[in-house]
Amino acid sequence: SDLLALLSRRPCTIRDAAAGLGIHVTDAGKLLESLTVDGSVRTAFQDGQWFYALARHDKETPHDARR
């Protein structure tokens, strides 16, 4: 999605995300909440603001079933 592409460039506040996507702050908040719940986005509180960024998922290497 466009929001994930935006967050891949840098962490954003809800207002940053709304401005970057050209949508209302309420809509940006709903999108960010959904992505946070599903684990795609993480939050961090810094300098009195909540920032949203892509969640880092460790890539697991598949185990060789023949071992």
Side-chain angles (χ1 to χ4, degrees), residues 9-55:
R9 292 190 289 278
R10 65 179 178 88
C12 296
T13 65
I14 290 176
R15 291 186 200 280
D16 294 337
L21 298 175
I23 61 175
H24 193 273
V25 173
T26 302
D27 295 326
K30 289 176 184 177
L31 289 170
L32 287 165
E33 176 68 20
S34 175
L35 292 170
T36 301
V37 168
D38 82 8
S40 299
V41 170
R42 63 182 170 83
T43 59
F45 192 74
Q46 184 175 345
D47 299 324
Q49 297 185 70
W50 283 102
F51 285 83
Y52 296 81
L54 289 183

Side-chain angles (χ1 to χ4, degrees), residues 1-15:
S1 81
D2 291 338
L3 181 53
L4 292 175
L6 179 66
L7 295 175
S8 73
R9 292 190 289 278
R10 65 179 178 88
C12 296
T13 65
I14 290 176
R15 291 186 200 280

